[in-house]
Amino acid sequence: MDELIKNAEIELNLTFPEALKAIWRTHNCNELPGGWRFFPVFDPANPRKTAGAITYENLRGAWGQHLRTLGLLAVANNGTGNHLVMRIVDGAVEPEIRHWHHETGKLTVWKPGIASVMRSAQKSAETLAAIQARVAQRSLVRS
């Protein structure tokens, strides 16, 4: 995963905070409460699940391109045009997540914060591990 994260940093020409990298290392595809979809790092081994990657959304997506002109990195969307973003300062992404409202351009601190994204990633990783364990157990029983 570290190589995929580094590739994303190179493609976006910036440096991610450690907290953001830790989220992707924990679980690369996260759905957050409130209908937010947290952008994954593109993984060529799983292109369908990671197609809406952070690099794609920020370099080719209309909203992401606009947000980049404002010095922001889009990290999640909820399908309404609103985004969760992180500020870019001197090529480094700050670890605080903010909510950007597409109609007003208003930027406010997203109160659940980056720790809530990590909790979601941990929960998703645990759920996936439990499913994989059940599938493996069924395979052993059938053998």
Side-chain angles (χ1 to χ4, degrees):
M1 179 55 66
D2 286 328
E3 185 177 335
L4 298 175
I5 293 169
K6 186 66 179 166
N7 290 343
E9 287 180 316
I10 291 168
E11 192 171 346
L12 291 166
N13 194 30
L14 49 76
T15 304
F16 298 131
E18 187 55 40
L20 186 56
K21 294 176 187 181
I23 289 166
W24 287 319
R25 286 183 198 117
T26 301
H27 192 73
N28 193 26
C29 297
N30 294 295
E31 300 293 327
L32 306 176
W36 294 103
R37 180 183 168 276
F38 198 78
F39 302 140
V41 172
F42 182 73
D43 183 354
N46 198 353
R48 288 182 63 199
K49 190 151 183 119
T50 61
I54 193 154
T55 48
Y56 176 85
E57 294 294 336
N58 282 277
L59 297 176
R60 293 170 205 61
W63 285 115
Q65 289 177 11
H66 174 68
L67 290 166
R68 288 296 299 265
T69 68
L70 302 174
L72 302 169
L73 178 74
V75 295
N77 71 22
N78 65 359
T80 66
N82 295 337
H83 282 73
L84 297 181
V85 299
M86 299 170 98
R87 290 180 45 195
I88 303 168
V89 177
D90 296 327
V93 178
E94 293 183 338
E96 185 173 56
I97 297 177
R98 299 171 187 272
H99 177 266
W100 179 79
H101 191 277
H102 78 284
E103 290 180 1
T104 64
K106 186 175 180 183
L107 193 62
T108 56
V109 172
W110 186 61
K111 292 188 181 183
I114 200 160
S116 74
V117 180
M118 177 53 93
R119 286 190 299 274
S120 176
Q122 289 167 333
K123 184 178 177 182
S124 294
E126 290 166 4
T127 300
L128 180 60
I131 291 168
Q132 290 171 333
R134 284 195 303 268
V135 169
Q137 183 63 33
R138 287 181 191 152
S139 295
L140 288 174
V141 170
R142 288 182 187 156
S143 309

